[in-house]
Amino acid sequence: MNRYLKKFSGTVVTVLVFMILLAAIFVYRLNKEEKTEEGFVEVKNERVFGDIDTNEIQSMMFWANGSEVGFEKKEDGWHILKEDVTNSADSFSVGGLLAGITSARVIKAFTSGDINPSDFGFDKPSYELLVITPQKEYYMQIGDESPVGTGRYLNDVSFERVLITDDSIVDAIRGKTVSDFRDRTVLDIDYEEVYRIGVRVADFVVYFDREDEAWFVEAEPDGGGLEERFVENMISPFTGLKVSEHIDEAPDDPGRYGLDSPVAEIEIYYGDRVVAVLFGDRKDEDSFYVKLDNGTAVYSVPKNLFKILPKSMEDIK
């Protein structure tokens, strides 16, 4: 009997220590919950920004992890302001952000007593938000999650109140970068204006010309017209080029992306202008680095855009 007691005594001690630790953690969380939840009362059917409509919001500013990003609505849509640089914003992405802001709901409101900012994470807020309408300005700090997991602490500085809200605002901005809100459309060309297309992939080069609404290979003007569907399928992803990601606005060395010696390019002649999309190295298994010949910015695009370029005469229909 003693032999078995000695054998399992270590296990028993380990289990007891583990149970004591669990109890300590439970008591700590309980005390913290009582401390931070004291003075809060439940609120029903109230939104953080009241009855504000998305159309009323004229500008916004976010601070997170030492970074500052601004949004401003102009006549031609939303724009992003970052380090004195203004870029067009993607209307769909900004729409999701506006929806998250205006739909945020109050779960509880702090009604009495003084607060210690560190108890709620307001000494080092996860996010800060400024929303401006023609009538009001709303400045808020977003702190820690509430201990019971019901929501997140929000310091409504403009109206001097502390709330527990749902995660609508945080969900709309969590993990997002400036690139996520940028307008990804970098070319917007009317297909009907295109009259010539040039393609080069490695050593293979071919040009297509449009004459009397029919497309021909430049070297074979009498060889019969090309299928309209073939040309349109090849060129349409480029006339309305929408990139996957903004990589580098002004690279010091385009060679980092293989764009000093492009592996492929497609030239589009339209109206009295011509623009080329240059392909550099693969970014990863699913995408390539690209840039426009008349710009410096580097983007990434899906590999399918490279795949649809003809690599030989056998690919041309």
Side-chain angles (χ1 to χ4, degrees), residues 17-285:
V17 170
F18 181 70
M19 292 177 65
I20 291 170
L21 286 173
L22 283 178
I25 292 171
F26 176 78
V27 170
Y28 169 79
R29 288 179 61 87
L30 185 63
N31 288 338
K32 184 176 181 181
E33 178 181 329
E34 290 177 349
K35 180 180 180 181
T36 53
E37 297 290 333
E38 183 180 354
F40 282 90
V41 295
E42 290 190 11
V43 176
K44 295 183 179 180
N45 301 320
E46 181 181 340
R47 293 190 298 178
V48 175
F49 288 87
D51 295 328
I52 187 174
D53 185 84
T54 56
N55 293 324
E56 297 179 58
I57 299 176
Q58 300 298 309
S59 61
M60 302 175 286
M61 187 73 72
F62 288 90
W63 293 267
N65 302 319
S67 179
E68 176 182 308
V69 181
F71 298 83
E72 183 178 5
K73 184 162 62 174
K74 299 182 179 181
E75 290 184 1
D76 59 342
W78 282 93
H79 292 255
I80 300 174
L81 292 76
K82 174 73 173 175
E83 296 177 354
D84 297 326
V85 177
T86 302
N87 292 289
S88 297
D90 178 68
S91 58
F92 181 80
S93 299
V94 174
L97 179 58
L98 292 170
I101 290 173
T102 55
S103 66
R105 294 196 169 273
V106 179
I107 298 172
K108 292 184 179 181
F110 188 73
T111 57
S112 62
D114 297 326
I115 69 165
N116 181 351
S118 63
D119 287 342
F120 303 96
F122 299 146
D123 55 334
K124 297 179 180 179
S126 304
Y127 305 95
E128 295 175 80
L129 168 65
L130 176 66
V131 175
I132 299 175
T133 72
Q135 294 78 30
K136 297 178 183 178
E137 291 188 7
Y138 304 82
Y139 171 63
M140 301 184 179
Q141 297 173 324
I142 300 175
D144 298 336
E145 290 186 51
S146 65
V148 293
T150 55
R152 189 174 294 269
Y153 294 118
L154 185 145
N155 185 15
D156 187 350
V157 179
S158 301
F159 292 88
E160 299 182 347
R161 59 179 187 163
V162 174
L163 310 170
I164 296 178
T165 71
D166 63 22
D167 271 343
S168 295
I169 298 175
V170 172
D171 288 343
I173 58 178
R174 181 173 16 220
K176 299 285 177 51
T177 65
V178 173
S179 180
D180 294 315
F181 294 103
R182 287 277 303 275
D183 183 1
R184 299 183 184 185
T185 302
V186 297
L187 285 179
D188 186 14
I189 300 170
D190 185 351
Y191 171 73
E192 296 303 324
E193 292 187 23
V194 179
Y195 63 88
R196 182 174 170 84
I197 303 166
V199 175
R200 181 190 66 80
V201 180
D203 294 329
F204 175 71
V205 179
V206 64
Y207 283 88
F208 306 91
D209 291 311
R210 177 186 272 179
E211 297 179 13
D212 299 326
E213 299 304 316
W215 285 96
F216 298 87
V217 176
E218 181 186 53
E220 302 176 353
D222 301 322
L226 296 169
E227 293 181 9
E228 179 77 12
R229 183 183 303 175
F230 166 76
V231 177
E232 192 168 357
N233 288 345
M234 176 183 65
I235 195 64
S236 59
F238 294 98
T239 54
L241 182 60
K242 194 163 188 174
V243 301
S244 301
E245 186 179 358
H246 294 263
I247 301 295
D248 194 337
E249 291 298 321
D252 295 331
D253 178 16
R256 290 174 51 200
Y257 307 102
L259 289 163
D260 57 335
S261 182
V263 297
E265 59 187 275
I266 179 168
E267 294 176 321
I268 305 170
Y269 296 77
Y270 64 105
D272 58 354
R273 290 176 284 183
V274 58
V275 64
V277 179
L278 311 180
F279 285 79
D281 294 337
R282 279 183 176 269
K283 176 178 178 288
D284 50 43
E285 185 178 344

